[in-house]
Amino acid sequence: MTTLHQIEPLTEKIRIASRAVAFTGAGISTESGIPDFRSPGGVWSKYQPVPFDEFVASQEARRRFWRMRREAYDAFAGARPNEGHRALANLEAAGRLAAVITQNIDGLHQQAGSRRVLELHGTAREVACLDCARRYRDSEIQQRLVGGVDVPTCDECGGWLKSATVSFGQVLPADVLAESARLARESDLFLVIGSSLVVQPAASLPVLARDAGAVLAIVNRDPTPLDDAADFVIRAPIGETFARIMRLLQTDGARPDETL
Ligand code: ZN
């Protein structure tokens, strides 16, 4: 199935959109070397994810959680944003993208320069106290782990520290989800990038956008349950696809109302 012929018409939609929103999943970060936790191989299949209720209940589970975080930190510390992340940052800077809503916890959108990033599943770049909510930089807590601490606790109150990510069994942050739903409903172009659209409630955002009249585009390696409802489906590597879109946007000149 070839879908590359859709890149030019999609670029046209990006050019005329005034409230475009991107929704990204693991697929955009696999091109930076961060594996999808649902794919076989690597750190995620070696350790079972620790559900939130187990983390709270058992010291052994907390130890397992932090062993996994330390290994993931070592493995992905060198990960850098790729062409896909950079394209979204550039689109935002050019006034062509309102926000990035992401299922990823790796912080690569911010590292690429995106300013408005809504993290549905939290961030692995920070650690939070479960009792007083004080935040720490992940690098600071990693130093404690390297120093021999196996389960870090809060300096402030002694509470358990956990990565500021949404674990299995934890609810998504309500404010982030509500803002994401608002952006989806108000968007005129909704770009799904590297998400297989199987994790709810995040996967319902493209439906909200589509039902409110947005053009729906899906750029993903594999088929998704919403392909039939989409206006554009591009099954190609994300970095390459967006590099091409950015070149087309540049070579065709500025849109008439360009003010930047
Ligand atoms: Zn605390």
Side-chain angles (χ1 to χ4, degrees):
M1 176 175 180
T2 168
T3 53
L4 292 174
H5 63 281
Q6 299 204 337
I7 289 181
E8 282 192 37
L10 174 59
T11 303
E12 235 12 77
K13 295 292 181 190
I14 292 173
R15 188 191 306 285
I16 61 173
S18 59
R19 297 178 311 278
V21 169
F23 174 83
T24 66
I28 195 170
S29 290
T30 51
E31 294 178 24
S32 290
I34 295 178
D36 185 343
F37 71 89
R38 283 182 299 273
S39 300
V43 61
W44 307 117
S45 55
K46 202 162 121 195
Y47 295 107
Q48 283 301 310
V50 178
F52 187 66
D53 56 347
E54 279 182 38
F55 184 93
V56 173
S58 139
Q59 181 75 352
E60 195 283 319
R62 288 188 285 273
R63 219 174 267 133
R64 196 150 37 91
F65 176 91
W66 282 109
R67 253 199 325 266
M68 183 167 94
R69 280 304 316 156
R70 184 175 165 189
E71 190 162 331
Y73 185 86
D74 289 344
F76 310 130
R80 294 287 174 267
N82 62 58
E83 199 68 49
H85 296 105
R86 283 194 295 274
L88 296 181
N90 289 337
L91 286 173
E92 184 187 13
R96 297 189 187 279
L97 188 72
V100 176
I101 302 167
T102 187
Q103 297 174 288
N104 299 337
I105 58 172
D106 52 42
L108 290 178
H109 284 300
Q110 291 92 332
Q111 214 178 312
S114 284
R115 284 174 307 223
R116 192 155 184 219
V117 182
L118 291 94
E119 296 173 307
L120 291 169
H121 296 162
T123 177
R125 300 281 169 131
E126 290 180 22
V127 169
C129 172
L130 293 183
D131 287 339
C132 74
R134 179 172 164 183
R135 293 243 174 175
Y136 299 81
R137 282 203 314 277
D138 189 39
S139 55
E140 183 191 338
I141 302 305
Q142 289 292 335
Q143 278 173 14
R144 296 192 199 178
L145 301 178
V146 171
V149 172
D150 58 352
V151 179
T153 53
C154 181
D155 293 340
E156 205 73 32
C157 75
W160 304 122
L161 295 184
K162 186 178 123 358
S163 298
T165 54
V166 176
S167 294
F168 288 93
Q170 266 185 305
V171 293
L172 269 55
D175 52 341
V176 179
L177 193 57
E179 177 68 1
S180 300
R182 191 184 66 76
L183 281 162
R185 276 193 302 267
E186 291 176 359
S187 69
D188 55 359
L189 171 62
F190 198 83
L191 296 161
V192 174
I193 304 163
S195 173
S196 44
L197 296 176
V198 291
V199 180
Q200 289 295 351
S204 64
L205 291 170
V207 178
L208 279 183
R210 178 75 223 229
D211 288 354
V215 171
L216 177 59
I218 298 175
V219 183
N220 197 49
R221 189 191 55 192
D222 302 313
T224 82
L226 287 183
D227 286 1
D228 289 343
D231 300 284
F232 298 92
V233 176
I234 297 173
R235 290 187 196 142
I238 292 161
E240 260 175 66
T241 300
F242 276 88
R244 215 163 129 192
I245 287 172
M246 298 309 281
R247 276 199 304 274
L248 284 168
L249 281 172
Q250 278 157 12
T251 52
D252 293 358
R255 55 184 171 176
D257 62 342
E258 191 79 79
T259 50
L260 290 166

